[in-house]
């Protein structure tokens, strides 16, 4: 039952509400699940809030977007503006990471209503002396609500309106300064405050714009054949920073179990000396709060994190809530696992994948409170050691309520913590994890290849409401996923997928060495797992191997850093590219991204056909920038360095994938 109906039913006689609040505010956006979940923004960014706002009759209304840090009482206010069809919009710059609240207040603006009426009557040469007297009274009332300085100015306007010739008085009334003074002292005695105060989570910048590089530190020993250490891995940091990555994601760094340890290529039994999958967490050396001894000590890990920071890189840790049968919890907290009558625990699964070397945690354990506290303490343990970003393994196989609680309570103390959900699962589960507080989500981009599928997917992510709370992170590969598209080994395809990931989404990442070296062999035909996957063995990578695409990645990351338009995902417009008159090209895909104030506009054109040069006529959406159809402008290809002068909305583009399968144009509209 709506609030208004409740009023009707419960207060039919008593009328215990203020019926003079005539303005209606409804369909507020963003309002997630009736205000149950917070909307999201990033530090230094802004939030756009819209609502339907109207009043009975023809009075003019004013509205304000109100925001404040949670737990404080004073609202910061900014004006909202009508955008047509009784819809209003307002935007608000947001501050440092933390929890905020927002709502809308709107009221009948009697001064503006009166001023509009006066203008109409004057234009129709009607008699306005009585209207002027009414206006003077409205200004008098404004005097009473104003600061001393404003009040003095308003008194002069009131006097002018009263004493002047009607023409002079009308002139005074229309002075913009008078409107400004009256707007500073609005009459809100009958204002409507939206019925809910909504929540906003503001996160650190890397929640909204980040470039991830994943590597296994154990593969980076100084000499081949040995288990690498954090100290040795730190020599990679300048190279990773030099490529333009700012998040270094390490798969689990904990002691690895021996029981059921997996061998090369996911073999169910490891050969002696094989290192095992690092997701099989825990042995007698410790569990989720310990470091695998061959990687180094806890102190060396902390030093590694600090050193990475000096390169502008945040180390992201993998949090995988599961246990090797050797994990200390199995003995210390047997009730955290679901035991079968034969005294075993069913191994973990993410159907159809089977993880024979790990035990899942039972989120229906009778001891769930202690379990939750311990799991949360793992995040806090690593946060104390300098980690601010976590990639969480398969969060959709753990209780949603746990995530809501854990993320909210961690953020209370550490509002700059970023959580990436590794949930390649059903759309509704992914959305719920984002509502539960995850900053970013792995996405289906990995499998979206055609123009039709990519555009459809981006439209879904940016226009269905998801854009208010779910930030995708686009990965062209992961250690688990060598997509079919890349299995031909064609280097140009690797560049295409990298350019797409890096320019369609502000957050993107890659399983580094394998991607930049264009590793392409699957473990078997029809499978997505890499042959000789690094998940089960220590690799030696030659990063300078001919054919690598490090230069291309570095260039694209540089372009992302230099162009704010690419540092957001939601504002994207796909453009038409015609192969011939009236026929859309199936392979040339173009999209415009821009900053809110249009100070940076980027047009990306990608040729999805890796083996043929393609050309077509591109229609630039001039109307979005309020430009005329014969407007000349300049486009500079940030990849090739070439510039072109374009004229009007249709321009010819050609992309030869042999040179570079894309253009990333920066526009100067002039
Ligand atoms: O289930 P996903 O495909 O999302 O993959 C993630 O979780 C897996 C389980 O943690 C993890 O799998 C790897 O570790 C398992 C446990 O050691 C092992 O049995 C699997 O063979 C191995 O692939 C996967 O890497 C991670 O991304």
């Amino acid at each position: 039952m709506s609030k208004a109906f409740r009023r009707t039913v419960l207060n039919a006689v008593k009328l215990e509400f203020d019926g003079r609040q005539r303005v209606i505010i409804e369909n507020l956006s963003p309002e997630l699940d009736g205000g149950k979940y917070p909307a999201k923004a990033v530090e230094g960014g802004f939030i756009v809030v819209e609502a339907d706002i109207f009043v009975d009759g023809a009075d003019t209304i004013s509205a304000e977007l109100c925001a404040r840090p949670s737990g404080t009482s004073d609202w910061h206010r900014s004006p909202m503006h009508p955008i047509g069809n009784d819809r209003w919009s307002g935007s608000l710059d947001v501050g440092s990471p933390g929890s905020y609240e927002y709502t809308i207040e709107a009221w009948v603006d009697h001064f503006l209503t009166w001023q509009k009426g006066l203008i109409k009557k004057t234009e129709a040469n009607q008699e306005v002396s009585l209207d002027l007297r009414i206006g003077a009274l409205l200004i008098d009332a404004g005097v009473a609500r104003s600061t001393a300085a404003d009040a003095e100015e308003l008194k002069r306007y009131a006097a002018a309106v009263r004493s002047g010739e009607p023409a002079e008085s009308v002139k005074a009334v229309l002075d913009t300064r008078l409107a400004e003074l009256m707007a500073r002292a609005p009459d809100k005695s009958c204002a409507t405050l939206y019925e809910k105060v909504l929540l906003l989570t503001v996160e650190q910048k890397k929640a909204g714009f980040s470039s991830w590089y994943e590597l296994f530190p154990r593969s980076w020993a100084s000499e081949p054949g040995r288990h690498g250490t954090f100290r040795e891995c730190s020599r990679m940091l300048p190279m990773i920073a030099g490529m333009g990555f700012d998040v270094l994601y390490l798969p689990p760094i904990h002691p690895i179990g021996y029981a059921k340890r997996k061998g090369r290529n996911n073999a169910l039994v490891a050969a002696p000396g094989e290192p095992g999958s690092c997701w099989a967490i825990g042995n007698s050396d410790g569990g989720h709060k310990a470091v695998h001894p061959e990687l180094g000590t806890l102190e060396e890990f902390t030093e590694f994190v600090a050193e990475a920071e000096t390169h502008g890189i945040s180390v992201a840790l993998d949090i995988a809530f599961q246990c090797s049968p050797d994990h200390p919890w199995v003995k210390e907290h047997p009730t955290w696992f679901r035991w079968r009558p034969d005294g075993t625990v069913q191994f973990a699964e993410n159907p159809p994948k089977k993880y024979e070397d790990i035990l899942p945690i039972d989120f229906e354990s009778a001891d769930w409170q202690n379990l939750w506290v311990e799991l949360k303490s793992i995040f806090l343990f690593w946060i104390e050691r300098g980690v601010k970003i976590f990639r969480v393994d398969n969060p959709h196989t753990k209780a949603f309520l746990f995530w809501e609680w854990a993320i909210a309570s961690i953020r209370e103390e550490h509002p700059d913590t970023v959580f990436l959900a590794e949930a390649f699962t059903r759309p509704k589960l992914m959305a719920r994890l984002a509502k539960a507080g995850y900053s970013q989500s792995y996405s289906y981009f990995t499998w979206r290849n055609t123009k039709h599928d990519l555009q459809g997917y981006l439209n879904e992510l940016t226009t269905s409401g998801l854009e208010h709370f779910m930030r995708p992170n686009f990965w062209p590969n992961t250690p688990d996923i060598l997509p079919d598209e890349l299995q031909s080994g064609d280097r140009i395809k690797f560049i295409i997928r990298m350019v797409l990931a890096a320019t369609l989404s502000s957050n993107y990442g890659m399983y580094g060495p394998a991607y930049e070296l264009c590793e392409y062999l699957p473990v078997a035909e029809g499978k997505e797992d890499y042959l000789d996957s690094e998940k089960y063995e220590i690799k030696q990578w030659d990063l300078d191997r001919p054919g690598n695409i490090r230069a291309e990645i570095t260039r694209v990351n540089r372009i992302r850093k230099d162009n704010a338009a690419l540092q957001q995902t939601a504002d994207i417009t796909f453009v038409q590219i015609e192969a011939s008159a009236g026929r859309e090209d199936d392979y040339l895909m173009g999209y415009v991204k821009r900053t809110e104030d249009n100070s940076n506009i980027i047009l990306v054109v990608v040729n999805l056909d890796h083996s043929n040069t393609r050309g077509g006529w591109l229609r630039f959406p001039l109307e979005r920038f309020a430009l005329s159809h014969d407007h000349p402008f300049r486009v500079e290809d940030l990849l090739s360095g070439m510039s072109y002068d374009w004229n009007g909305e249709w321009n010819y583009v050609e992309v030869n994938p042999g040179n570079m399968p894309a253009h990333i144009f920066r526009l100067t509209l002039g």
Side-chain angles (χ1 to χ4, degrees):
M1 187 188 291
S2 80
K3 202 168 159 185
F5 276 110
R6 261 199 315 274
R7 281 178 187 149
T8 313
V9 174
L10 298 178
N11 302 313
V13 182
K14 292 185 183 165
L15 291 176
E16 283 174 343
F17 55 89
D18 191 344
R20 300 171 306 156
Q21 295 173 357
R22 292 165 47 215
V23 176
I24 301 297
I25 306 172
E26 61 186 24
N27 290 326
L28 194 152
S29 159
E31 178 180 323
L32 305 185
D33 291 7
K36 188 171 167 198
Y37 298 105
K40 290 178 184 165
V42 286
E43 174 182 20
F46 61 92
I47 175 176
V48 175
V49 177
E50 291 186 6
D52 296 341
I53 308 180
F54 50 87
V55 67
D56 53 279
D59 287 339
T60 299
I61 50 184
S62 289
E64 278 175 348
L65 176 57
C66 315
R68 64 187 175 199
S70 295
T72 63
S73 52
D74 291 342
W75 291 112
H76 300 276
R77 295 163 181 276
S78 61
M80 297 185 75
H81 306 283
I83 54 172
N85 194 22
D86 290 318
R87 190 95 182 134
W88 288 62
S89 176
S91 80
L92 195 88
D93 293 338
V94 296
S96 50
S99 174
Y100 293 77
E101 295 174 345
Y102 63 99
T103 193
I104 290 175
E105 190 172 36
W107 60 94
V108 172
D109 193 321
H110 292 290
F111 177 76
L112 285 183
T113 305
W114 167 81
Q115 201 186 38
K116 269 194 189 166
L118 186 82
I119 292 169
K120 278 191 191 152
K121 283 189 178 176
T122 314
E123 282 170 356
N125 287 324
Q126 290 179 9
E127 155 55 34
V128 292
S129 53
L130 180 56
D131 299 81
L132 288 169
R133 283 167 61 193
I134 294 170
L137 289 174
L138 288 170
I139 300 172
D140 289 346
V143 168
R145 295 188 300 268
S146 293
T147 60
D150 284 4
E152 282 314 307
E153 269 193 81
L154 281 173
K155 279 181 196 165
R156 286 196 287 279
Y157 278 106
V161 171
R162 282 200 172 93
S163 62
E165 283 298 299
E168 280 301 304
S169 300
V170 169
K171 206 170 142 208
V173 158
L174 298 183
D175 194 334
T176 50
R177 176 68 183 160
L178 172 60
E180 210 178 282
L181 291 166
M182 289 300 285
R184 292 217 290 246
D187 175 9
K188 294 187 179 174
S189 52
C190 296
T192 301
L193 192 61
Y194 184 60
E195 59 188 32
K196 287 176 209 159
V197 169
L198 301 166
L199 292 172
L200 172 71
T201 300
V202 175
E203 296 184 73
Q204 64 141 302
K205 287 198 168 128
K206 282 183 181 169
F209 173 54
S210 59
S211 310
W212 294 55
Y213 190 90
E214 174 175 1
L215 61 68
F216 289 74
R218 67 188 183 187
S219 290
W220 296 97
S222 314
E223 312 100 49
R226 208 166 40 70
H227 195 292
T229 65
F230 291 124
R231 285 216 162 131
E232 290 169 310
C233 193
S234 52
R235 76 181 197 284
M236 296 294 293
L237 294 170
M239 192 279 293
I240 296 166
M243 284 176 83
F245 291 100
D246 55 15
V247 179
L248 173 59
Y249 154 44
L250 307 180
I253 57 167
H254 316 295
I256 297 171
Y258 295 98
K260 309 271 183 188
R261 177 175 283 197
K262 285 194 171 176
R264 204 168 159 208
N265 286 319
N266 203 14
L268 287 182
V269 180
E274 285 194 304
S277 155
C278 53
W279 280 272
I281 296 169
N283 66 29
S284 55
D285 291 322
H288 289 76
K289 293 179 185 166
V291 165
H292 183 53
E294 286 185 272
L295 285 170
T297 62
L298 200 49
E299 289 66 39
E300 284 163 0
F301 171 73
T302 313
E303 283 164 22
F304 179 72
V305 173
E307 192 177 339
E309 284 295 341
T310 67
H311 293 276
I313 294 175
S314 307
V315 169
L317 269 197
D318 194 317
I319 295 292
F321 287 147
Q322 59 209 21
C323 297
S324 145
D326 298 329
H327 194 292
W329 289 349
V330 178
K331 285 206 179 87
E332 290 166 13
H333 300 282
T335 59
W336 292 356
F337 304 89
R338 185 171 294 191
W339 296 92
R340 296 184 294 190
D342 66 354
T344 63
V345 174
Q346 166 65 48
F347 58 75
E349 289 180 78
N350 183 17
K353 296 187 186 175
K354 294 183 190 301
Y355 305 130
E356 296 88 344
D357 51 345
I358 51 173
L359 310 182
I361 285 164
D362 180 10
F363 277 82
E364 291 182 13
S365 164
D367 190 30
W368 65 271
Q369 286 100 332
N370 286 323
L371 169 66
W372 281 26
V373 169
E374 175 61 17
L375 296 180
K376 178 187 144 188
S377 78
I378 291 167
F379 287 104
L380 297 178
F381 180 88
W382 295 108
I383 288 171
E384 277 161 25
R385 278 144 192 90
V387 178
K388 294 196 172 97
I389 305 187
F390 297 96
R391 174 271 198 197
V392 179
D393 195 70
N394 283 327
H396 61 292
T397 61
K398 283 94 201 166
F400 291 98
L401 288 184
F402 165 72
W403 295 122
E404 274 176 38
W405 169 80
I407 293 175
S409 57
I410 290 166
R411 286 224 178 98
E412 259 174 40
E413 276 181 68
H414 305 282
D416 55 351
T417 313
V418 171
F419 300 88
L420 164 64
E422 191 257 352
F424 290 109
T425 180
R426 305 191 298 283
K428 295 211 167 116
L429 280 72
M430 288 168 79
R432 187 65 157 79
L433 288 166
K435 286 180 193 165
Y438 274 91
S439 323
Q440 302 179 0
S441 314
Y442 277 74
S443 69
Y444 303 141
F445 164 77
T446 318
W447 301 278
R448 298 290 183 269
N449 298 306
T450 64
K451 178 170 171 174
H452 174 266
D453 288 356
L454 284 163
Q455 292 189 180
Y457 188 45
L458 262 293
N459 284 335
E460 181 187 325
L461 290 172
T462 60
T463 61
S464 66
L466 284 176
E467 67 278 13
H468 296 307
F469 62 94
M470 187 166 134
R471 300 190 193 98
N473 193 326
F474 280 10
W475 288 65
N477 76 330
T478 75
D480 301 314
I481 312 167
L482 167 63
D484 187 49
E485 175 74 4
L486 298 177
Q487 294 188 10
S488 64
D490 193 314
R491 179 177 183 274
I492 293 171
K493 285 196 180 176
F494 280 78
I495 298 175
I496 292 173
R497 297 294 298 166
M498 178 272 295
V499 171
L500 288 170
T503 57
L504 286 168
S505 172
S506 57
N507 295 302
Y508 96 111
M510 62 179 63
Y511 161 41
Y515 201 83
E516 74 207 66
L517 297 176
C518 306
E519 286 282 297
Y520 67 97
L521 291 176
V523 68
E525 210 185 312
K527 297 275 182 196
E528 285 189 329
D529 240 299
Y530 280 93
L531 174 67
D532 300 332
S533 168
E534 198 170 8
K535 290 191 294 184
Y536 312 103
E537 60 186 88
I538 293 169
K539 304 283 279 189
Q540 288 154 33
W541 299 105
D542 170 11
L543 292 180
D544 295 322
R545 201 165 80 189
N548 74 73
I549 61 166
R550 195 188 319 156
E552 288 80 0
I553 296 170
T554 305
R555 185 126 191 91
V556 170
N557 279 342
R558 181 75 256 160
I559 294 171
R560 277 165 54 86
K561 280 224 166 83
D562 292 346
N563 290 280
L566 296 174
Q567 296 169 14
Q568 56 79 36
T569 303
D571 193 323
I572 185 166
T573 307
F574 288 97
V575 300
Q576 267 173 274
I577 306 183
E578 296 193 344
S580 56
R583 193 175 62 80
E584 187 70 7
D585 192 288
D586 289 339
Y587 293 93
L588 281 179
M589 185 169 91
Y591 39 98
V592 180
K593 292 188 131 191
R594 59 178 196 118
T595 51
E596 176 79 356
D597 61 359
N598 286 333
S599 58
N600 184 232
I601 304 168
I602 295 289
L603 165 66
V604 183
V605 180
V606 185
N607 182 355
L608 301 174
D609 176 354
H610 69 287
S611 51
N612 293 297
T613 297
R614 296 190 82 91
W617 287 90
L618 180 148
R619 183 185 169 276
F620 183 73
L622 291 171
E623 67 283 357
R624 285 214 68 179
F625 304 96
L627 296 173
S628 66
H629 280 204
D630 53 2
H631 190 98
F633 53 99
R634 174 156 271 248
V635 297
E636 177 195 358
D637 183 3
L638 301 173
L639 286 169
S640 68
M642 304 282 284
S643 288
Y644 308 90
D645 288 319
W646 282 6
N647 206 327
E649 62 174 354
W650 288 100
N651 292 278
Y652 186 74
V653 285
E654 189 175 274
V655 188
N656 175 353
N659 298 335
M660 184 71 188
H663 296 302
I664 304 180
F665 292 122
R666 180 162 51 207
L667 274 71
T668 312
L669 294 179

